[in-house]
Amino acid sequence: MFTVLVTVSLMLVAGVVTAAPVRAVDSNLIVNGGFEDGLAGWFPNDTTGSATLSSTTDAYSGSSAMLVTGRPKTGSGPMQDLTGTVQPGKIYTVTARVKYENPSSPATKQFVLTMHYGGSTFARLGAGTVTRGQWGLIRGTFVIPASQDVTTARIFVETPWVATPSTDPDTHLMDFKVDDVALEEYTTSRTIEVLGKIPGEGNPLISHKFGADAYAFVHGDRVYLYMTNDTQIYYPGPDGISPANNYSGIRTITVISSNDLVNWVDHGEIAVAGPDGIERYAGESWAPAVTSKVIDGKERFFLYFANNGGSTGVLVGDSPLGPWHDERGSLLITNATPGASNGRNWLFDPAVLIDDDGKGYLYFGGGGDDRSGSYENTNHPKSTRVIKLGDDMVSTVGSAEVIDAPLVFEASHMFKRQGKYYYSYSSNFGFSGPVDPNGPPTGAIAYLMADDPMGPWTPETYAGVIFRNPGTYFGAGGNNHQSVFEFKGQYYFTYHAQTLNQRVTGGTTQGFRSPHIAKLAFNEDGTIQEVIGTYDGVDRVRTLDPYRPIEAETIAWQQGIATKKIDEPSPGFGPQAPNLAVSDIDNGDWTALASVDFRRDGAARLTATVLPLTPGGKIQVRLDERTAPVIATIPVDAPPGTWTRLTARLHGVTGVHDVYFTYTGPDDADLFEIDSWSFRSSKSKCRPELPRGSAASSASVRHCAGV
């Protein structure tokens, strides 16, 4: 996970009395955002000596802009009171133009738009890097948490916070100009409408949402992937392009699973951090890692996550899908953890290993650039660590030990095979120093091998490269992150790439990543054969059994749909598991299941659990191709707004097929939502299902499905 540390503003507005601003007359919630009315609605943000605000004719547009001079602190920029204007739970977009001209200032400088909710509560709304002497754009899209108190809400422009900016005012306190500040409620759909995954492809694993830093966890007969939820900050504009992913504000973990490695179930998101999260004291949740252990006779599940670059936390769950809770009440890895920090390395990207003796180990860290540009710092930043975990898996034992992996940057991962321990990581991009040609290439997944989980992990244990940067294979580079797992006797490798982002935009990328998978092979000496990135994915390990309840959000390929959490119990994973439905279904949208085995006797019926929204919708069933002849149709003609089961007869559906569900109905309307599918075998003798919600309905469905 390539980190961008969130700006923390050290500014508090108190005792400032201003007249209530006049509301904007258009969709812009900012008053006088173009400064054509002078300084109306604006005041300086500071309590220890204000900056000076004045008008200037050097404007980005129109005839006037604002000039900010004499800032005593980085946050002493122009501020506007939005109290009574913004609301919790809503999504907003924000933009502003900024220009600075001090010839002694850096050639580029980041500027930030921040919201102050009173007290010590600040939220970064958007950011942008501005080139000296040119008007630059700050923009962002953000959600005000549903639990956020907006009794006070003030927006201001600043440069990134530093404790003592006066020691280098040209870098931190330069004068700047502001123009065209706009804040609007976000209304554009976030559903990905393009064909992001072509039928027959295995990568990316999902195409209706993004997911990065996938960590694989095998439990029972399924593989679960836990991912950084890039979709949380994906806000495409009318042109389909989203502001760049800066990772700030990602507070949930996305979970998908599969038992065949081709059809993937969307389990939604775990609310980890922030005001609405399980661990409210955490700001972000990135790069998760998951394992389980039997403690006091009960299997417990542990989800470790990166709280930005500064620390690592842990949740405890009752199953791979939760429910999850906070057992520690504090972060697990911080600067106070013995041996964890040298003052410049990051404390993120956790990986966990439970050895055969039941002892646990946590691997974490990254960064470490000391800005020296030296050979030693570039090739041996010594920025990652390993520490022993307590028997409870939510505490640490002793001191963290340094991992000296060549060119190390981030993305620690650990697995064990045939008595050998494999520590893999993403290499850095040079740190401005010369790169050792005998080590890994930049931005690649490299690995070390040792005989003990604690190593010692030294340059002598370097074993080679597993996977080069995704840009090598897909034309879109960026950060790199991986995991390794064994399933059905075969090892697999996960990585992320911006393939879906490319298809959404027609070629460009904004940093939104998607999970991918490949087989992992080994040489006779235990070293790893290099993985090549492809759209192919991997072969299925089994066919899909249709004679059981199938979550509708089980998808191999799709176009145009989204998913949403619903309150109905999950037919496939039980009442304690989160349950999603396929949503935002429009005329022409479709979903598909791969390699469905109807067997020799074949299927006689298909039942769909649906929520009708608009009269006239239909579900069509096709085999093997999206445009193949329709073999069955379910008219969705039940009363709108009530979950119901609708059935269609099938004839002659035997053997293994890809099954396409195509959706038709009136244009410009959401047609219906779908919770689950259930096929009935021709051999089944059961009666029609009981009404949904009756005490025996779930058992009846399982019986009719032949389970």
Side-chain angles (χ1 to χ4, degrees):
M1 182 77 192
F2 183 74
T3 188
V4 177
L5 297 180
V6 177
T7 303
V8 178
S9 308
L10 195 63
M11 301 304 303
L12 177 63
V13 176
V16 178
V17 179
T18 60
V22 178
R23 294 274 63 86
V25 296
D26 55 16
S27 60
N28 187 5
L29 300 178
I30 296 292
V31 174
N32 188 29
F35 304 100
E36 299 305 308
D37 293 329
L39 305 180
W42 295 92
F43 53 92
N45 173 28
D46 209 342
T47 58
T48 59
S50 296
T52 299
L53 308 183
S54 59
S55 295
T56 175
T57 57
D58 181 14
Y60 177 78
S61 67
S63 60
S64 184
M66 175 185 286
L67 174 63
V68 184
T69 59
R71 287 186 298 150
K73 293 185 177 295
T74 54
S76 304
M79 173 176 270
Q80 184 164 129
D81 190 350
L82 296 178
T83 302
T85 300
V86 294
Q87 300 177 37
K90 289 196 172 183
I91 306 171
Y92 297 92
T93 60
V94 63
T95 57
R97 295 287 177 173
V98 174
K99 180 180 180 181
Y100 71 100
E101 299 167 297
N102 184 347
S104 300
S105 293
T108 62
K109 182 65 177 179
Q110 186 183 57
F111 285 81
V112 180
L113 282 158
T114 302
M115 188 83 84
H116 180 206
Y117 293 112
S120 59
T121 305
F122 296 84
R124 175 174 167 176
L125 311 181
T129 299
V130 178
T131 299
R132 185 181 60 226
Q134 301 178 18
W135 283 100
L137 175 64
I138 310 175
R139 69 174 179 175
T141 306
F142 64 96
V143 180
I144 298 180
S147 60
Q148 178 62 57
D149 182 359
V150 293
T151 303
T152 298
R154 297 186 174 106
I155 189 173
F156 64 98
V157 185
E158 63 175 340
T159 50
W161 178 83
V162 293
T164 56
S166 58
T167 59
D168 190 356
D170 289 332
T171 298
H172 304 296
L173 299 175
M174 72 281 288
D175 299 340
F176 62 89
K177 300 168 185 176
V178 184
D179 202 3
D180 291 358
V181 184
L183 176 72
E184 298 179 306
E185 188 172 343
Y186 182 86
T187 57
T188 305
S189 171
R190 300 171 68 190
T191 299
I192 297 171
E193 300 288 351
V194 304
L195 181 60
K197 181 181 181 182
I198 299 171
E201 292 179 343
N203 286 326
L205 301 183
I206 54 175
S207 60
H208 65 291
K209 59 172 60 174
F210 300 98
D213 311 317
Y215 193 98
F217 171 63
V218 177
H219 189 262
D221 202 33
R222 300 192 73 79
V223 178
Y224 296 84
L225 293 186
Y226 302 81
M227 300 176 290
T228 305
N229 181 20
D230 280 9
T231 308
Q232 188 170 5
I233 53 174
Y234 172 71
Y235 296 105
D239 60 356
I241 307 298
S242 173
N245 183 357
N246 64 7
Y247 317 123
S248 66
I250 299 179
R251 297 169 172 171
T252 58
I253 297 297
T254 296
V255 187
I256 62 175
S257 76
S258 178
N259 65 358
D260 58 23
L261 305 184
V262 176
N263 297 288
W264 292 89
V265 182
D266 183 358
H267 296 290
E269 281 69 44
I270 303 169
V272 176
D276 300 322
I278 299 168
E279 295 194 359
R280 296 184 178 184
Y281 47 81
E284 269 87 26
S285 58
W286 302 343
V290 173
T291 192
S292 71
K293 181 179 179 180
V294 176
I295 300 176
D296 296 331
K298 179 182 179 181
E299 185 174 23
R300 309 179 78 198
F301 298 81
F302 303 91
L303 188 156
Y304 304 88
F305 67 93
N307 175 38
N308 205 295
S311 54
T312 291
V314 58
L315 301 180
V316 181
D318 298 331
S319 79
L321 298 176
W324 301 95
H325 62 274
D326 177 14
E327 189 165 293
R328 279 183 55 88
S330 62
L331 294 162
L332 176 63
I333 303 294
T334 68
N335 287 329
T337 303
S341 176
N342 64 7
R344 65 175 184 271
N345 65 314
W346 303 327
L347 306 180
F348 76 158
D349 283 11
V352 62
L353 172 75
I354 298 180
D355 209 351
D356 299 336
D357 59 4
K359 294 181 179 179
Y361 302 83
L362 193 73
Y363 304 79
F364 63 92
D369 186 0
D370 67 4
R371 307 303 174 93
S372 68
S374 69
Y375 172 92
E376 181 65 20
N377 180 241
T378 294
N379 294 282
H380 302 284
K382 302 177 182 178
S383 58
T384 58
R385 303 286 188 270
V386 54
I387 195 167
K388 295 178 181 178
L389 291 168
D391 292 339
D392 60 4
M393 300 295 290
V394 297
S395 62
T396 60
V397 177
S399 180
E401 296 188 11
V402 172
I403 297 173
D404 187 2
L407 213 69
V408 68
F409 186 49
E410 58 185 350
S412 291
H413 188 268
M414 169 61 64
F415 72 96
K416 183 180 182 181
R417 175 184 178 271
Q418 297 183 0
K420 290 289 186 181
Y421 298 86
Y422 294 77
Y423 172 77
S424 61
Y425 61 96
S426 178
S427 60
N428 66 53
F429 291 86
F431 282 1
S432 301
V435 175
D436 185 350
N438 297 313
T442 59
I445 302 299
Y447 72 106
L448 314 179
M449 293 175 61
D451 297 321
D452 188 272
M454 298 293 289
W457 300 105
T458 62
E460 290 74 27
T461 63
Y462 173 68
V465 172
I466 304 177
F467 183 72
R468 297 178 187 272
N469 193 268
T472 305
Y473 315 107
F474 303 109
N479 53 48
N480 214 347
H481 204 115
Q482 79 297 347
S483 78
V484 174
F485 66 97
E486 184 182 9
F487 189 59
K488 306 294 184 183
Q490 168 69 49
Y491 280 87
Y492 296 91
F493 178 81
T494 70
Y495 60 96
H496 65 222
Q498 297 183 63
T499 50
L500 177 58
N501 195 179
Q502 279 184 312
R503 285 175 171 173
V504 167
T505 63
T508 61
T509 57
Q510 291 79 45
F512 295 97
R513 303 152 298 176
S514 296
H516 293 62
I517 192 171
K519 279 190 175 182
L520 192 66
F522 296 82
N523 300 309
E524 290 187 5
D525 62 358
T527 56
I528 299 173
Q529 296 178 15
E530 187 172 330
V531 171
I532 304 300
T534 72
Y535 288 98
D536 297 338
V538 298
D539 295 333
R540 59 175 169 84
V541 299
R542 64 191 297 174
T543 56
L544 189 149
D545 178 9
Y547 304 124
R548 60 172 180 81
I550 302 170
E551 300 282 358
E553 62 274 17
T554 305
I555 299 171
W557 310 286
Q558 65 80 36
Q559 185 171 4
I561 61 93
T563 56
K564 62 182 290 187
K565 189 174 182 179
I566 60 175
D567 294 331
E568 300 293 318
S570 170
F573 294 87
Q576 295 300 312
N579 188 24
L580 275 68
V582 174
S583 62
D584 198 12
I585 298 174
D586 304 316
N587 182 39
D589 292 347
W590 57 272
T591 60
L593 298 169
S595 301
V596 181
D597 188 359
F598 294 102
R599 305 174 196 148
R600 183 179 300 174
D601 295 312
R605 290 187 179 184
L606 166 65
T607 297
T609 303
V610 299
L611 179 72
L613 299 175
T614 301
K618 294 180 181 180
I619 300 172
Q620 301 170 329
V621 184
R622 307 169 191 259
L623 299 182
D624 300 320
E625 299 212 6
R626 183 177 61 83
T627 57
V630 175
I631 64 166
T633 299
I634 300 178
V636 184
D637 52 9
T642 301
W643 284 105
T644 187
R645 291 187 175 96
L646 300 173
T647 299
R649 292 185 178 275
L650 301 174
H651 301 281
V653 182
T654 61
V656 178
H657 297 276
D658 297 336
V659 178
Y660 287 79
F661 304 102
T662 56
Y663 310 121
T664 67
D667 290 330
D668 302 321
D670 285 348
L671 303 179
F672 40 77
E673 297 174 359
I674 310 172
D675 185 9
S676 64
W677 310 107
S678 182
F679 289 90
R680 176 179 164 186
S681 170
S682 298
K683 296 177 66 176
S684 175
K685 303 297 183 182
C686 73
R687 301 285 183 183
E689 294 88 348
L690 296 174
R692 184 174 177 87
S694 65
S697 62
S698 294
S700 299
V701 171
R702 288 196 296 271
H703 176 68
C704 287
V707 176

